[in-house]
Amino acid sequence: DAGVTQSPTHLIKTRGQQVTLRCSPKSGHDTVSWYQQALGQGPQFIFQYYEEEERQRGNFPDRFSGHQFPNYSSELNVNALLLGDSALYLCASSLAGGFTEQYFGPGTRLTVT
Amino acid sequence: AQSVTQPDIHITVSEGASLELRCNYSYGATPYLFWYVQSPGQGLQLLLKYFSGDTLVQGIKGFEAEFKRSQSSFNLRKPSVHWSDAAEYFCAVGAGGTSYGKLTFGQGTILTVHP
């Protein structure tokens, strides 16, 4: 049973560029959440997708956007990258039927120079 | 809005000693509570969860946690620590209502295990 997978593993971008991160949920899961984890901090909720729509959003600017596909996989897009966007980006999947635990992927390490 | 406080940034214990990691939460209703563990450069692994019912919950790797509503706490315990338990531990609270599905994490506690 495949768990949550994310790609790429590492990414280096320059300020002002745009980046797309990808996530495939655990088999049977239909909800994807994205988190940003800065160095030495706990993860912070960016947003959650269910039925191809953004259901919840944290305190992140509009530069952060996402998408969910019919197969439940998801993308996180960040435009106009800032140095402060350097972080580990974690994807988590869960079931939307009730509040259930979220299973995390290994993350994508984004470095903005 | 919910919040989580993990008062201890770094804890060091000897292998075989007991362990307790503290977690305090703030939330107006009955929370959903979680403990996750993260090894360096890795994602988060769920150790245990509390949704309702018995306030003492058992998790994987010999961990347990107790929900105490009166103290707004959900402390993680292990009777005998192994060297492989060295990692960073995160407490998280999930909410219902308009914040349904959003997890709020604490700052984490780094656990070092001495042989």
Side-chain angles (χ1 to χ4, degrees):
Chain A
D1 176 23
V4 180
T5 59
Q6 293 186 244
S7 63
T9 305
H10 295 89
L11 207 50
I12 299 175
K13 289 287 188 178
T14 303
R15 274 178 301 175
Q17 286 188 317
Q18 179 264 344
V19 68
T20 297
L21 311 181
R22 295 176 176 83
C23 172
S24 291
K26 181 178 168 65
S27 177
H29 285 184
D30 56 10
T31 302
V32 173
S33 304
W34 287 92
Y35 293 81
Q36 180 195 66
Q37 186 178 20
L39 202 60
Q41 304 292 319
Q44 287 199 299
F45 177 79
I46 303 175
F47 42 53
Q48 183 181 83
Y49 277 83
Y50 171 63
E51 293 186 334
E52 301 181 47
E53 291 191 357
E54 184 182 289
R55 183 163 73 172
Q56 286 287 336
R57 189 177 182 92
N59 295 326
F60 279 80
D62 291 344
R63 298 187 296 110
F64 289 77
S65 63
H67 188 78
Q68 186 179 36
F69 299 93
N71 67 352
Y72 308 123
S73 66
S74 176
E75 288 181 350
L76 164 65
N77 301 292
V78 186
N79 294 322
L81 285 167
L82 303 174
L83 294 180
D85 294 331
S86 295
L88 180 67
Y89 288 84
L90 296 165
C91 168
S93 73
S94 57
L95 289 170
F99 194 99
T100 61
E101 58 267 36
Q102 297 183 15
Y103 291 85
F104 284 80
T108 293
R109 172 72 62 187
L110 172 65
T111 302
V112 182
T113 62
Chain B
Q2 62 265 36
S3 65
V4 176
T5 301
Q6 294 181 245
D8 305 305
I9 296 174
H10 196 169
I11 283 184
T12 300
V13 299
S14 298
E15 192 169 16
S18 64
L19 172 70
E20 182 169 28
L21 302 182
R22 296 183 290 165
C23 171
N24 293 99
Y25 68 89
S26 173
Y27 182 60
T30 299
Y32 304 96
L33 295 163
F34 307 83
W35 275 100
Y36 285 88
V37 61
Q38 185 177 38
S39 298
Q42 302 296 312
L44 302 174
Q45 181 183 22
L46 179 67
L47 285 176
L48 48 77
K49 62 185 184 287
Y50 172 79
F51 286 175
S52 65
D54 193 348
T55 56
L56 184 63
V57 294
Q58 303 297 320
I60 63 172
K61 303 184 179 186
F63 286 94
E64 67 177 26
E66 186 171 13
F67 170 58
K68 293 186 177 180
R69 185 188 302 275
S70 61
Q71 297 176 20
S72 297
S73 69
F74 188 58
N75 294 348
L76 181 71
R77 300 193 294 248
K78 186 169 185 178
S80 177
V81 170
H82 188 263
W83 64 265
S84 61
D85 293 324
E88 188 161 18
Y89 292 79
F90 292 94
C91 179
V93 61
T98 57
S99 295
Y100 185 87
K102 170 186 174 181
L103 289 182
T104 299
F105 286 84
Q107 292 274 72
T109 297
I110 298 171
L111 174 65
T112 298
V113 181
H114 281 169

